[in-house]
Amino acid sequence: MAAATAAAAAALRPHITLLSGGSGPIPSTSPQILTFVFPLPFRRRGRSVLFSNASSSPSSPPSPEKEAVAEAIAVPTAESCVNLGLELFSKGRVRDALEQFENALELNPTPIEAQAALYNKACCHAYREESNKAAECLRTALRDYNLKFGTILNDPDLAPFRASPEFKELQEEALRGGEDIGSGFRRDLKLISEVQAPFRGVRRFFYVALTAAAGISTFFTIPRLILAVQGGDGAPDLLETAGNAAINIGGIVVLVALYFWENKKEEKQITQISRNETLSRLPVRLSTNRIIELVQLRDITRPVILAGSKESVTRAMQRAERYRTELLKRGVLLIPVIFGASQKDQTKPRGFGTRRAAASVPSVGGDFEKRTESIAAKSRLKAEVRFKADIVSPEQWESWICDQQESEGVTPGEDVYIILRLDGRVRRSGIGMPNWNDILQELPRLEDLMSKLER
């Protein structure tokens, strides 16, 4: 019997040795720890985790070699997946980066980690021209994780998405505000609107107060009017009472109309502010082949956008050459936009790597909206600005111009020009191409007092 038992143990020993990773026989005098290596469902490049199935005896400590292996193999976390995804994205490995952001969302992320994962996942989908998926990621981040809508407007990685119908739909939802998305975005826009129209809130307060006063007065006037109509001893004068009632009711109608007019005016202003913000993020290529956004040209130039057919824009540019010196003194930068002449831009954004190296990729919770420039960098940029800049991403430019035309009651696609202020806001626009003599008379030189006030 003992011989049979020994033979069976000898037959099983090689299999146990194979499972345990050992190279020699396993002593039969002590319980063993069998270590199995299971790949995680989101494993990348051999990452794995060790699960140990220990025996019932707690007195057998793991060997030092096994402890070293367990410490060397790191278990992925939501933060590490996001940071790895950012690094992969910066290298153009968008598909691998997308997998990492999806992995992060499955690892019980914190709100900040979830926001970063969803936002960067949307950047990946935007790169792959999957606008529907990008919109869903951003909508979830806005609704559940307090993402600021301004971040979507500011990030060049989302430039392809901002040219899509899905972005317009998302922006309209954000403009409406509410409990779902965009409440913070709308609040910020309202603050800017109040700065530009500082007494609107005061006027609406007086409209409401006077309407309430007129309503109270009408409440007491109506019974007197009924008594005046009935007549009899002690009845008030009919004409006088009817006149008072008419004044009160008319006042209520006028005040309510003014209140709604102020609201409509505010909505129009908020839409214009949002459109100006979108304009400020449109990219252009300077004469030095450097690509920047219009927001970086604030306080430096007055961009003049010439949009229309190739013949009209070319003719306007040729006429502008006659006034080149004087226009440069006024900080004019011509930006021609030819409708339908440019095909889709072949140079896609290459993720974060287009602006910074992989080593400088921000970790989870980084400030995506931080876009400050030093005075020295501003001076260098000013030296690069010449007389003309070429547009980048023509679809975005044409989409913005068509929206501007519709808001002004102009047929989309018609020849127009748009003059911007030094602060980036629209100064004025018109149908056709501009008269350069009028432009010279209208725009002060950059060193003049009026230019400083315009900033």
Side-chain angles (χ1 to χ4, degrees), residues 1 36 59 75 93 114 123 164 181 192 202 204 268 289 355 357 360 375 380 387 418 423 446:
M1 185 67 179
F36 300 87
S59 60
V75 178
R93 298 172 59 181
C123 291
S164 67
I181 67 170
I192 299 174
V202 177
R204 286 194 294 198
K268 184 177 180 181
N289 209 34
R355 300 180 305 283
S360 63
I375 297 177
R380 288 195 299 269
F387 189 55
I418 303 169
D423 62 3
L446 289 179

mmCIF file of all heavy atoms in Angstrom, residues 1 36 59 75 93 114 123 164 181 192 202 204 268 289 355 357 360 375 380 387 418 423 446:
data_model
loop_
_atom_site.group_PDB
_atom_site.id
_atom_site.type_symbol
_atom_site.label_atom_id
_atom_site.label_comp_id
_atom_site.label_asym_id
_atom_site.label_seq_id
_atom_site.Cartn_x
_atom_site.Cartn_y
_atom_site.Cartn_z
ATOM 1 N N MET A 1 0.837 -1.213 0.000
ATOM 2 C CA MET A 1 0.000 0.000 0.000
ATOM 3 C C MET A 1 0.862 1.249 0.000
ATOM 4 O O MET A 1 0.617 2.227 -0.686
ATOM 5 C CB MET A 1 -0.908 -0.012 1.237
ATOM 6 C CG MET A 1 -1.897 1.147 1.260
ATOM 7 S SD MET A 1 -3.097 0.967 -0.070
ATOM 8 C CE MET A 1 -4.070 2.417 0.253
ATOM 9 N N PHE A 36 -1.233 31.088 -9.714
ATOM 10 C CA PHE A 36 -1.734 31.075 -11.090
ATOM 11 C C PHE A 36 -1.715 32.495 -11.629
ATOM 12 O O PHE A 36 -2.036 33.436 -10.920
ATOM 13 C CB PHE A 36 -3.159 30.529 -11.149
ATOM 14 C CG PHE A 36 -3.268 29.122 -10.629
ATOM 15 C CD1 PHE A 36 -3.471 28.900 -9.282
ATOM 16 C CD2 PHE A 36 -3.147 28.045 -11.482
ATOM 17 C CE1 PHE A 36 -3.584 27.613 -8.788
ATOM 18 C CE2 PHE A 36 -3.251 26.778 -10.996
ATOM 19 C CZ PHE A 36 -3.461 26.538 -9.648
ATOM 20 N N SER A 59 0.249 29.374 8.551
ATOM 21 C CA SER A 59 1.593 29.490 9.095
ATOM 22 C C SER A 59 2.671 29.482 8.021
ATOM 23 O O SER A 59 3.844 29.606 8.335
ATOM 24 C CB SER A 59 1.855 28.344 10.075
ATOM 25 O OG SER A 59 1.737 27.100 9.415
ATOM 26 N N VAL A 75 -0.798 46.755 -10.341
ATOM 27 C CA VAL A 75 -2.187 46.609 -10.717
ATOM 28 C C VAL A 75 -2.677 47.930 -11.309
ATOM 29 O O VAL A 75 -2.524 48.976 -10.678
ATOM 30 C CB VAL A 75 -3.046 46.216 -9.491
ATOM 31 C CG1 VAL A 75 -4.505 46.106 -9.895
ATOM 32 C CG2 VAL A 75 -2.550 44.913 -8.917
ATOM 33 N N ARG A 93 -1.210 57.077 -31.202
ATOM 34 C CA ARG A 93 -1.805 55.742 -31.063
ATOM 35 C C ARG A 93 -3.203 55.885 -30.470
ATOM 36 O O ARG A 93 -3.466 55.564 -29.316
ATOM 37 C CB ARG A 93 -0.907 54.873 -30.189
ATOM 38 C CG ARG A 93 0.485 54.648 -30.785
ATOM 39 C CD ARG A 93 1.414 53.946 -29.829
ATOM 40 N NE ARG A 93 0.901 52.635 -29.416
ATOM 41 C CZ ARG A 93 1.518 51.838 -28.562
ATOM 42 N NH1 ARG A 93 2.684 52.211 -28.037
ATOM 43 N NH2 ARG A 93 0.989 50.689 -28.224
ATOM 44 N N ALA A 114 -13.013 60.102 -13.753
ATOM 45 C CA ALA A 114 -14.054 59.804 -14.731
ATOM 46 C C ALA A 114 -14.212 60.950 -15.723
ATOM 47 O O ALA A 114 -14.400 60.730 -16.924
ATOM 48 C CB ALA A 114 -15.380 59.533 -14.013
ATOM 49 N N CYS A 123 -12.046 63.089 -27.186
ATOM 50 C CA CYS A 123 -10.995 63.568 -28.096
ATOM 51 C C CYS A 123 -10.587 62.476 -29.074
ATOM 52 O O CYS A 123 -10.347 62.744 -30.257
ATOM 53 C CB CYS A 123 -9.792 64.048 -27.298
ATOM 54 S SG CYS A 123 -10.075 65.575 -26.355
ATOM 55 N N SER A 164 -19.049 69.629 -36.479
ATOM 56 C CA SER A 164 -20.087 68.634 -36.758
ATOM 57 C C SER A 164 -21.451 69.112 -36.275
ATOM 58 O O SER A 164 -21.557 69.968 -35.381
ATOM 59 C CB SER A 164 -19.741 67.313 -36.059
ATOM 60 O OG SER A 164 -19.814 67.459 -34.642
ATOM 61 N N ILE A 181 -27.389 69.487 -18.686
ATOM 62 C CA ILE A 181 -26.032 69.927 -18.999
ATOM 63 C C ILE A 181 -26.035 71.431 -19.177
ATOM 64 O O ILE A 181 -27.068 72.056 -19.420
ATOM 65 C CB ILE A 181 -25.485 69.269 -20.284
ATOM 66 C CG1 ILE A 181 -26.262 69.756 -21.514
ATOM 67 C CG2 ILE A 181 -25.508 67.762 -20.210
ATOM 68 C CD1 ILE A 181 -25.632 69.339 -22.815
ATOM 69 N N ILE A 192 -21.062 87.309 -18.470
ATOM 70 C CA ILE A 192 -20.471 88.146 -19.513
ATOM 71 C C ILE A 192 -21.512 89.099 -20.083
ATOM 72 O O ILE A 192 -21.233 90.278 -20.338
ATOM 73 C CB ILE A 192 -19.874 87.264 -20.621
ATOM 74 C CG1 ILE A 192 -18.770 86.379 -20.058
ATOM 75 C CG2 ILE A 192 -19.328 88.121 -21.761
ATOM 76 C CD1 ILE A 192 -18.227 85.372 -21.049
ATOM 77 N N VAL A 202 -31.156 95.690 -13.333
ATOM 78 C CA VAL A 202 -31.866 96.756 -12.615
ATOM 79 C C VAL A 202 -33.173 97.083 -13.324
ATOM 80 O O VAL A 202 -34.225 97.266 -12.681
ATOM 81 C CB VAL A 202 -30.969 98.003 -12.498
ATOM 82 C CG1 VAL A 202 -31.731 99.145 -11.827
ATOM 83 C CG2 VAL A 202 -29.702 97.671 -11.709
ATOM 84 N N ARG A 204 -34.973 95.151 -15.259
ATOM 85 C CA ARG A 204 -35.958 94.079 -15.087
ATOM 86 C C ARG A 204 -36.542 94.073 -13.678
ATOM 87 O O ARG A 204 -37.718 93.733 -13.495
ATOM 88 C CB ARG A 204 -35.302 92.730 -15.410
ATOM 89 C CG ARG A 204 -35.083 92.530 -16.886
ATOM 90 C CD ARG A 204 -34.757 91.116 -17.245
ATOM 91 N NE ARG A 204 -33.482 90.680 -16.699
ATOM 92 C CZ ARG A 204 -32.809 89.620 -17.151
ATOM 93 N NH1 ARG A 204 -33.296 88.893 -18.145
ATOM 94 N NH2 ARG A 204 -31.648 89.275 -16.620
ATOM 95 N N LYS A 268 -30.361 86.846 -27.258
ATOM 96 C CA LYS A 268 -29.629 87.154 -28.481
ATOM 97 C C LYS A 268 -28.178 87.498 -28.166
ATOM 98 O O LYS A 268 -27.259 87.091 -28.885
ATOM 99 C CB LYS A 268 -30.306 88.319 -29.209
ATOM 100 C CG LYS A 268 -29.675 88.661 -30.545
ATOM 101 C CD LYS A 268 -30.440 89.775 -31.235
ATOM 102 C CE LYS A 268 -29.803 90.112 -32.584
ATOM 103 N NZ LYS A 268 -30.534 91.218 -33.271
ATOM 104 N N ASN A 289 4.189 79.985 -41.241
ATOM 105 C CA ASN A 289 3.682 78.610 -41.230
ATOM 106 C C ASN A 289 3.294 78.143 -39.830
ATOM 107 O O ASN A 289 3.098 76.952 -39.600
ATOM 108 C CB ASN A 289 4.697 77.637 -41.823
ATOM 109 C CG ASN A 289 4.008 76.432 -42.464
ATOM 110 O OD1 ASN A 289 2.920 76.555 -43.022
ATOM 111 N ND2 ASN A 289 4.641 75.275 -42.392
ATOM 112 N N ARG A 355 1.066 69.831 -29.398
ATOM 113 C CA ARG A 355 1.381 71.049 -28.670
ATOM 114 C C ARG A 355 2.393 70.836 -27.560
ATOM 115 O O ARG A 355 2.961 71.764 -27.055
ATOM 116 C CB ARG A 355 0.102 71.635 -28.063
ATOM 117 C CG ARG A 355 -0.925 71.987 -29.094
ATOM 118 C CD ARG A 355 -2.157 72.562 -28.432
ATOM 119 N NE ARG A 355 -2.700 71.685 -27.427
ATOM 120 C CZ ARG A 355 -3.410 70.601 -27.691
ATOM 121 N NH1 ARG A 355 -3.627 70.250 -28.919
ATOM 122 N NH2 ARG A 355 -3.903 69.857 -26.722
ATOM 123 N N ALA A 357 5.179 67.683 -25.623
ATOM 124 C CA ALA A 357 5.767 66.355 -25.682
ATOM 125 C C ALA A 357 5.045 65.423 -24.739
ATOM 126 O O ALA A 357 4.302 65.841 -23.848
ATOM 127 C CB ALA A 357 7.249 66.431 -25.316
ATOM 128 N N SER A 360 5.286 65.909 -20.989
ATOM 129 C CA SER A 360 4.586 67.018 -20.354
ATOM 130 C C SER A 360 3.080 66.858 -20.369
ATOM 131 O O SER A 360 2.353 67.809 -20.132
ATOM 132 C CB SER A 360 4.955 68.339 -21.044
ATOM 133 O OG SER A 360 4.535 68.309 -22.390
ATOM 134 N N ILE A 375 4.714 87.633 -21.808
ATOM 135 C CA ILE A 375 4.855 88.846 -22.600
ATOM 136 C C ILE A 375 5.853 88.627 -23.732
ATOM 137 O O ILE A 375 5.659 89.109 -24.856
ATOM 138 C CB ILE A 375 5.298 90.012 -21.697
ATOM 139 C CG1 ILE A 375 4.225 90.288 -20.648
ATOM 140 C CG2 ILE A 375 5.601 91.255 -22.519
ATOM 141 C CD1 ILE A 375 4.609 91.374 -19.662
ATOM 142 N N ARG A 380 6.885 87.874 -29.614
ATOM 143 C CA ARG A 380 7.337 87.068 -30.742
ATOM 144 C C ARG A 380 6.200 86.814 -31.724
ATOM 145 O O ARG A 380 6.392 86.858 -32.941
ATOM 146 C CB ARG A 380 7.903 85.741 -30.237
ATOM 147 C CG ARG A 380 9.245 85.867 -29.531
ATOM 148 C CD ARG A 380 9.903 84.504 -29.382
ATOM 149 N NE ARG A 380 9.089 83.604 -28.584
ATOM 150 C CZ ARG A 380 9.200 83.472 -27.272
ATOM 151 N NH1 ARG A 380 10.070 84.207 -26.592
ATOM 152 N NH2 ARG A 380 8.446 82.614 -26.610
ATOM 153 N N PHE A 387 0.480 90.537 -43.199
ATOM 154 C CA PHE A 387 -0.704 91.170 -43.775
ATOM 155 C C PHE A 387 -1.826 90.178 -44.024
ATOM 156 O O PHE A 387 -2.978 90.552 -44.121
ATOM 157 C CB PHE A 387 -0.299 91.854 -45.081
ATOM 158 C CG PHE A 387 -1.363 92.715 -45.681
ATOM 159 C CD1 PHE A 387 -1.963 93.738 -44.949
ATOM 160 C CD2 PHE A 387 -1.781 92.508 -46.980
ATOM 161 C CE1 PHE A 387 -2.947 94.531 -45.506
ATOM 162 C CE2 PHE A 387 -2.766 93.300 -47.542
ATOM 163 C CZ PHE A 387 -3.347 94.320 -46.806
ATOM 164 N N ILE A 418 -16.306 90.587 -42.516
ATOM 165 C CA ILE A 418 -16.501 90.720 -41.072
ATOM 166 C C ILE A 418 -15.247 91.343 -40.486
ATOM 167 O O ILE A 418 -14.137 90.826 -40.676
ATOM 168 C CB ILE A 418 -16.785 89.358 -40.412
ATOM 169 C CG1 ILE A 418 -17.996 88.689 -41.057
ATOM 170 C CG2 ILE A 418 -17.004 89.517 -38.914
ATOM 171 C CD1 ILE A 418 -18.191 87.242 -40.647
ATOM 172 N N ASP A 423 -10.240 93.202 -29.285
ATOM 173 C CA ASP A 423 -10.552 92.237 -28.231
ATOM 174 C C ASP A 423 -11.198 90.968 -28.771
ATOM 175 O O ASP A 423 -11.604 90.098 -27.994
ATOM 176 C CB ASP A 423 -11.455 92.871 -27.172
ATOM 177 C CG ASP A 423 -12.803 93.320 -27.729
ATOM 178 O OD1 ASP A 423 -13.067 93.093 -28.937
ATOM 179 O OD2 ASP A 423 -13.592 93.918 -26.972
ATOM 180 N N LEU A 446 -3.070 101.749 -34.402
ATOM 181 C CA LEU A 446 -2.913 100.973 -33.176
ATOM 182 C C LEU A 446 -2.409 101.811 -32.006
ATOM 183 O O LEU A 446 -2.737 101.548 -30.851
ATOM 184 C CB LEU A 446 -1.958 99.802 -33.413
ATOM 185 C CG LEU A 446 -2.487 98.665 -34.291
ATOM 186 C CD1 LEU A 446 -1.422 97.596 -34.454
ATOM 187 C CD2 LEU A 446 -3.750 98.060 -33.706
#
